[in-house]
């Protein structure tokens, strides 16, 4: 019952987050699932959610189609995508909202949703604006280039293990649709920026050895500085 309540809370939060033009795009993307007459009677996102549930295209454990149409209608807005991602991770909705100055919880608490800003240096979105001096990765270029050249199809699992979200990866892929190396490079730079400007070698090695990645060859070379 609690999970069902949180699921409904998540849908209501999406309803409040979507702009009018994004909602119209959502309805258009659902035209294969929702007949024209039904779409004309849909006045807000919650009406659409109910129809999709009856079509078995939406449910607490069935969010793939929802994420697909959200990505297609919201131009990759990470604040909207993270509402869904946080539900999937079991993060309560109330803990995602910013707290006021009188709260005892600091605004950098890991379960408080941070504002999303566009980063002109990285040409992508992130949780906080980063100045050029904060994203200077020159001293890590050897490691970054090594990973960029040697990671293959497993790169997304590697990034997820590091904590890079699917929304962040999608944003990078939209900026660099034809270059896998650029996608890997930009995700690594984003991870370093979100990690206080540090290249945590231990976390990199652990991610490479994760069961979803299993690049023990790269992990050993990173650990031994054999790059």
């Amino acid at each position: 019952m609690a999970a069902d309540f949180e699921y409904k809370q998540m849908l209501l939060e999406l309803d409040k987050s979507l702009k009018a033009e994004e909602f119209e795009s959502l309805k258009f993307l659902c035209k294969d699932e929702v007949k024209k007459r039904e779409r004309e009677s849909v006045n807000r996102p919650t009406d659409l959610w109910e129809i999709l549930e009856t079509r078995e295209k939406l449910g607490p454990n069935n969010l793939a189609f929802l994420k697909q149409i959200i990505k297609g209608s919201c131009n990759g807005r990470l604040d909207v995508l993270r509402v869904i991602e946080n539900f999937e991770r079991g993060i309560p909705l109330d803990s995602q909202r910013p707290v006021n100055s009188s709260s005892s919880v600091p605004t950098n608490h890991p379960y408080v949703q941070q504002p999303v800003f566009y980063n002109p240096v990285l040409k992508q979105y992130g949780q906080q604006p980063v100045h050029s001096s904060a994203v200077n990765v020159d001293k890590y270029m050897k490691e970054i280039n090594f990973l960029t050249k040697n990671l293959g199809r497993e790169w997304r699992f590697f990034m997820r293990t590091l904590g890079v979200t699917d929304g962040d990866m999608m944003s990078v892929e939209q900026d660099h649709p034809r270059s896998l190396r650029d996608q890997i490079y930009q995700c690594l730079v984003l991870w370093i920026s979100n990690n206080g400007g540090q290249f945590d070698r231990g976390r990199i090695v652990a991610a490479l050895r994760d069961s979803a990645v299993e690049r023990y060859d790269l992990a050993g070379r990173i650990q031994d500085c054999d790059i």
Side-chain angles (χ1 to χ4, degrees):
M1 294 296 292
D4 188 58
F5 177 74
E6 291 168 0
Y7 164 70
K8 288 182 171 61
Q9 273 194 315
M10 181 268 291
L11 294 181
L12 286 173
E13 187 68 17
L14 291 177
D15 182 296
K16 292 184 289 184
S17 301
L18 291 168
K19 301 175 183 177
E21 62 271 20
E22 293 169 341
F23 175 48
E24 291 303 315
S25 297
L26 265 182
K27 290 197 291 184
F28 175 78
L29 292 175
C30 292
K31 66 178 184 178
D32 292 337
E33 306 295 335
V34 182
K35 296 179 180 179
K36 183 177 180 181
R37 182 174 297 179
E38 288 179 307
R39 294 200 307 272
E40 290 174 349
S41 66
V42 170
N43 297 313
R44 59 183 304 163
T46 48
D47 299 331
L48 184 60
W49 309 151
E50 289 182 357
I51 295 174
L52 292 177
E53 285 175 331
T54 64
R55 302 287 194 277
E56 297 186 350
K57 298 295 291 185
L58 178 63
N61 300 308
N62 183 18
L63 300 173
F65 183 71
L66 176 63
K67 289 195 286 187
Q68 179 183 346
I69 60 176
I70 288 290
K71 289 176 182 178
S73 62
C74 298
N75 294 318
R77 275 181 58 197
L78 297 188
D79 56 325
V80 180
L81 290 171
R82 281 176 178 149
V83 172
I84 306 173
E85 289 178 349
N86 287 337
F87 168 76
E88 291 179 312
R89 294 171 180 169
I91 300 175
L93 185 62
D94 290 341
S95 66
Q96 300 172 33
R97 298 192 177 99
V99 295
N100 57 40
S101 58
S102 62
S103 173
S104 60
V105 181
T107 56
N108 62 350
H109 189 278
Y111 294 111
V112 175
Q113 183 73 8
Q114 301 298 319
V116 177
F117 299 89
Y118 184 74
N119 186 333
V121 177
L122 300 180
K123 296 183 179 179
Q124 57 192 255
Y125 292 89
Q127 287 189 329
Q128 56 185 358
V130 182
H131 302 290
S132 57
S133 59
V135 293
N136 186 346
V137 295
D138 289 350
K139 59 184 177 179
Y140 304 127
M141 285 308 299
K142 192 174 180 180
E143 291 86 352
I144 291 173
N145 286 336
F146 173 77
L147 291 168
T148 298
K149 291 177 181 178
N150 289 284
L151 282 170
R153 291 179 299 176
E154 70 283 341
W155 78 274
R156 289 184 181 84
F157 296 101
F158 171 72
M159 294 300 172
R160 290 188 188 112
T161 304
L162 284 179
V164 179
T165 68
D166 287 344
D168 287 335
M169 284 188 279
M170 188 194 72
S171 179
V172 169
E173 288 171 335
Q174 287 178 339
D175 287 340
H176 306 277
R178 298 182 179 180
S179 175
L180 175 61
R181 287 190 175 185
D182 281 340
Q183 293 168 13
I184 296 172
Y185 174 87
Q186 292 293 343
C187 282
L188 285 169
V189 172
L190 177 62
W191 172 70
I192 291 171
S193 299
N194 291 339
N195 197 40
Q198 299 298 312
F199 183 90
D200 189 330
R201 191 176 299 271
R203 287 183 62 188
I204 290 287
V205 170
L208 289 169
R209 289 175 173 166
D210 187 85
S211 59
V213 183
E214 294 187 336
R215 288 302 304 268
Y216 302 105
D217 55 332
L218 303 185
R221 293 185 63 182
I222 288 282
Q223 189 172 39
D224 297 338
C225 300
D226 179 24
I227 53 177

